[in-house]
Amino acid sequence: MKLEEAIKTALEFEERIRDLYRDAVESTEDPEGKKIFQALADDEHNHVRYLQSRLDEWEKTGKITIEDLESNIPGREAIRKTAAQLQSKITRDYRGLKQQMLSRALEVEVETSRVYREIVDQVSEEYRPMFARFLEIEDNHIEAVQFELDHLNNMGFWFGFEEFHMENAGN
């Protein structure tokens, strides 16, 4: 895959997920839900700006500079490390979060990660680190959205880990 095609493909997916999160901010009444969706929207908007700047640089000079890409969403290990602490403190009613919006966000995040995996496999080696960083961040977004969805649904999972066994519930 050529670099310009990879950047344009990534931009398309980043704009799509950013807009989804912006819509979620507008349609969610729960203040905690708004914070979560806004953090994800801001992160995705930073991705759009970064990719657009790389595309602009490519079109002007025929090369790009790979700069560090930060994220305001913590990494998987940080999320999992604090999950147990947070679980005992969460008392707010997360029902205000739109299950449909979270499900759609998860679907798009998974699709976006899949696209980044393909790009990493297909782009020339010198540009792989840039797209690999995007993949890492998108995987963290999946983790955050899955957490919210699991918690909203009270599915007995916390970040993909089972919280309890039904056969032990009465003991």
Side-chain angles (χ1 to χ4, degrees):
M1 178 181 287
K2 293 185 179 187
L3 178 62
E4 185 173 2
E5 178 187 355
I7 294 173
K8 287 180 178 180
T9 299
L11 258 171
E12 178 184 321
F13 278 86
E14 294 293 343
E15 288 169 344
R16 184 172 155 208
I17 191 71
R18 177 204 57 200
D19 293 346
L20 180 79
Y21 288 132
R22 285 179 173 174
D23 290 346
V25 169
E26 295 300 316
S27 67
T28 301
E29 294 178 18
D30 178 71
E32 291 301 314
K34 282 188 179 291
K35 284 185 203 176
I36 292 162
F37 287 131
Q38 188 63 58
L40 289 162
D42 292 346
D43 218 40
E44 300 296 357
H45 184 68
N46 287 338
H47 298 173
V48 169
R49 288 191 334 213
Y50 179 94
L51 287 165
Q52 188 61 58
S53 71
R54 301 291 67 94
L55 182 59
D56 292 346
E57 183 181 15
W58 176 258
E59 290 173 346
K60 289 177 185 170
T61 68
K63 58 184 179 178
I64 65 166
T65 306
I66 299 175
E67 299 175 358
D68 287 340
L69 180 62
E70 298 299 320
S71 175
N72 59 8
I73 304 300
R76 287 179 175 202
E77 293 305 315
I79 291 170
R80 290 179 178 178
K81 182 177 179 182
T82 59
Q85 298 165 351
L86 291 174
Q87 185 178 16
S88 63
K89 294 178 182 177
I90 293 177
T91 58
R92 296 182 74 80
D93 181 9
Y94 280 90
R95 300 286 183 242
L97 291 174
K98 304 284 186 188
Q99 181 177 357
Q100 182 180 3
M101 195 64 76
L102 284 168
S103 295
R104 179 70 181 128
L106 184 61
E107 178 184 307
V108 176
E109 290 288 4
V110 168
E111 184 180 5
T112 302
S113 287
R114 180 190 54 76
V115 167
Y116 278 121
R117 277 185 186 77
E118 290 173 7
I119 290 172
V120 167
D121 289 344
Q122 296 174 13
V123 78
S124 73
E125 193 162 332
E126 66 184 307
Y127 304 120
R128 283 184 187 158
M130 180 175 83
F131 293 103
R133 176 64 177 136
F134 275 100
L135 175 59
E136 177 186 353
I137 290 170
E138 294 304 330
D139 284 346
N140 291 339
H141 289 182
I142 289 170
E143 192 85 10
V145 172
Q146 185 65 60
F147 156 71
E148 291 298 330
L149 193 55
D150 287 349
H151 185 71
L152 177 65
N153 290 326
N154 294 318
M155 296 183 67
F157 287 87
W158 190 263
F159 291 105
F161 295 105
E162 191 172 9
E163 289 184 291
F164 61 86
H165 295 282
M166 291 303 291
E167 62 269 11
N168 295 332
N171 297 335

